[in-house]
Amino acid sequence: MKKLKVRWLLLIMLFAVIPQFFGLTNVYATDTGEVEQQWWWKKDHPKEDDLPRLGGGAENPERNRQQPISNIILQQRYPETVVLQGPATEKRIAITFDDGPDPRFSEQVLDVLKEYNVPATFFVMGSRAIAYPEIVNRMVAEGHIIGNHTYFHPNLVKEADLATLEREVVRTEDTLNDLIGYRTKLFRAPYGFLYNELVEKLAELNYSIIVWSVDSLDWQEDPPAQIAANVLDNVEPGAVILMHDGGDWDADRTNTIESLRQILPSLKEQGYEFVTVPNLLNIPYQK
């Protein structure tokens, strides 16, 4: 009986050691200081509980359900803080992506951008950045710019609370600073939803609010040709294009990725130059 117990103990020890020895698990420190183990297949094929959800709900139907104050009006009221597009004097444009990093789609987006040598601006969620730091680091290493898209992606208009805004923004800023070594000055609101007091608070926090002038509507998950048409039919010099490299768990950005193979070469053939948002607007990207 004693020998049997010893054998079972040895088997338990082997099952604990072998996965780490062969690289089947990774150990991470969480933002609370606790240490957790992540199996290799969760990194490439995350389960629903692994990817932080969008706090305010999925992009579709949230953007259709609520129509807050227009960003055009906010830009007119706060021209030094809210920006929709760049100057129309040159054929320069910026392509932007929201809601990542998402291990299902972000790296595929990065692959296409690299293939066509296109720099982009990624507005990332803090909760996802800390979960997938290697993707954020790749974004920076390949010449892209990082912006703040809050920590948990709440609907800031529905929350209607300045303390929530500040907590979401500052926590993300701190997280990104730890990862990429600078405090981003660029902010985009979840769903693009803001109102006067929120804009004023963001200005106080020294942010430039980046909206968009061309919406790909890729969150509707139309076929790639339709997503591409939404962009190509509306681009003008100085355009800021909105797309998504991530989404909630019922979202699929495969069509977004495929549409990029139509959008990027077509706009280049038309003589457009892709630049990052701070380059297009001639503003700093870090505080």
Side-chain angles (χ1 to χ4, degrees):
M1 180 65 70
K2 187 174 181 181
K3 290 182 178 180
L4 186 61
K5 289 182 177 179
V6 170
R7 288 175 181 173
W8 275 110
L9 181 61
L10 287 172
L11 282 172
I12 292 170
M13 291 175 65
L14 282 171
F15 276 113
V17 171
I18 287 175
Q20 294 188 39
F21 182 80
F22 286 101
L24 297 180
T25 64
N26 293 309
V27 176
Y28 295 96
T30 67
D31 58 344
T32 61
E34 298 175 354
V35 174
E36 62 182 26
Q37 200 172 53
Q38 185 181 72
W39 291 86
W40 67 271
W41 60 77
K42 288 175 67 176
K43 179 176 182 294
D44 295 324
H45 304 284
K47 297 178 182 177
E48 182 171 350
D49 292 338
D50 298 329
L51 183 69
R53 306 293 295 268
L54 304 188
E59 200 82 18
N60 186 3
E62 191 67 18
R63 280 181 61 185
N64 285 327
R65 180 164 40 240
Q66 182 176 354
Q67 297 296 325
I69 185 170
S70 166
N71 283 310
I72 295 175
I73 294 175
L74 288 175
Q75 195 278 329
Q76 293 170 348
R77 290 177 180 173
Y78 304 97
E80 300 300 318
T81 303
V82 180
V83 185
L84 277 73
Q85 62 185 60
T89 53
E90 298 180 77
K91 296 189 75 172
R92 303 169 82 233
I93 54 178
I95 190 165
T96 68
F97 296 89
D98 288 5
D99 297 351
D102 187 320
R104 301 168 297 174
F105 311 113
S106 295
E107 293 196 284
Q108 295 179 70
V109 169
L110 287 168
D111 289 343
V112 179
L113 294 174
K114 186 175 183 179
E115 179 181 344
Y116 290 99
N117 193 29
V118 168
T121 305
F122 288 87
F123 291 90
V124 306
M125 292 167 54
S127 59
R128 291 184 171 185
I130 202 168
Y132 303 100
E134 68 282 357
I135 301 178
V136 179
N137 289 331
R138 180 184 169 185
M139 291 171 177
V140 175
E142 294 183 1
H144 307 295
I145 296 296
I146 305 297
N148 188 327
H149 199 45
T150 71
Y151 202 83
F152 287 118
H153 203 279
N155 183 330
L156 296 169
V157 170
K158 188 180 294 183
E159 294 287 338
D161 178 35
L162 293 180
T164 297
L165 169 69
E166 184 168 8
R167 180 175 63 253
E168 287 277 332
V169 170
V170 172
R171 188 178 183 187
T172 302
E173 181 180 319
D174 290 342
T175 297
L176 292 176
N177 185 52
D178 290 342
L179 286 177
I180 64 178
Y182 66 81
R183 295 189 176 275
T184 181
K185 185 177 169 60
L186 309 178
F187 176 83
R188 176 174 286 160
Y191 319 104
F193 290 177
L194 290 171
Y195 56 81
N196 291 357
E197 289 78 7
L198 295 174
V199 172
E200 291 165 6
K201 185 62 179 180
L202 287 161
E204 181 183 313
L205 294 170
N206 194 25
Y207 275 94
S208 296
I209 300 170
I210 311 302
V211 194
W212 58 82
S213 61
V214 177
D215 191 346
S216 69
L217 301 176
D218 61 344
W219 48 272
Q220 296 182 162
E221 299 183 7
D222 292 322
Q226 182 59 57
I227 297 173
N230 293 339
V231 174
L232 297 174
D233 293 348
N234 294 286
V235 163
E236 296 178 347
V240 174
I241 302 166
L242 170 65
M243 303 191 80
H244 295 80
D245 66 313
D248 216 3
W249 267 98
D250 58 353
D252 186 352
R253 300 294 178 238
T254 303
N255 289 349
T256 297
I257 295 161
E258 291 304 313
S259 74
L260 287 172
R261 297 190 179 279
Q262 301 176 46
I263 294 168
L264 302 185
S266 178
L267 290 176
K268 282 195 164 190
E269 288 171 5
Q270 294 177 42
Y272 283 101
E273 177 190 3
F274 286 94
V275 296
T276 62
V277 163
N279 194 328
L280 177 68
L281 304 177
N282 194 28
I283 59 174
Y285 63 88
Q286 56 183 311
K287 297 182 179 179

